[in-house]
Amino acid sequence: MNYPPGLDVLFKQGKVGVSFFFVLSGFIMVYNYYAWFKHDTKRFKDFGRARFARVFPMYVLALLLVTPFYEAGFALILWNKL
């Protein structure tokens, strides 16, 4: 595939961006929660609840948005095989 000049290197090295995202998000989590776990891990339950409350709603939203399209596509595949 032909990419615009100068952007081909960026697009071909997209996996580096994913790695950078994971390192950066790990840094942000340590920065935000370091004080919670500095001396003990008694607040781990609070941490787990906070992470769950932040991440789980997006999974549910994505599931609700994607499922109808997936089901429609799956039904079309089955219909075409009949």
Side-chain angles (χ1 to χ4, degrees):
M1 177 174 233
N2 294 331
Y3 298 110
L7 293 179
D8 57 343
V9 174
L10 179 68
F11 290 148
K12 290 178 183 177
Q13 297 299 322
K15 59 187 174 209
V16 175
V18 173
S19 298
F20 177 73
F21 169 77
F22 281 116
V23 170
L24 182 62
S25 58
F27 171 78
I28 297 295
M29 287 182 67
V30 169
Y31 182 80
N32 285 331
Y33 294 107
Y34 177 73
W36 285 26
F37 302 113
K38 186 174 182 178
H39 300 293
D40 62 1
T41 58
K42 292 178 183 173
R43 294 190 68 185
F44 185 73
K45 189 183 280 187
D46 295 332
F47 171 77
R49 245 186 259 131
R51 296 306 308 153
F52 182 80
R54 182 176 290 251
V55 173
F56 186 71
M58 285 308 280
Y59 280 108
V60 171
L61 179 65
L63 180 67
L64 292 174
L65 290 175
V66 169
T67 300
F69 295 106
Y70 176 79
E71 293 297 327
F74 188 68
L76 285 174
I77 291 170
L78 288 178
W79 184 261
N80 288 334
K81 288 187 177 185
L82 293 177

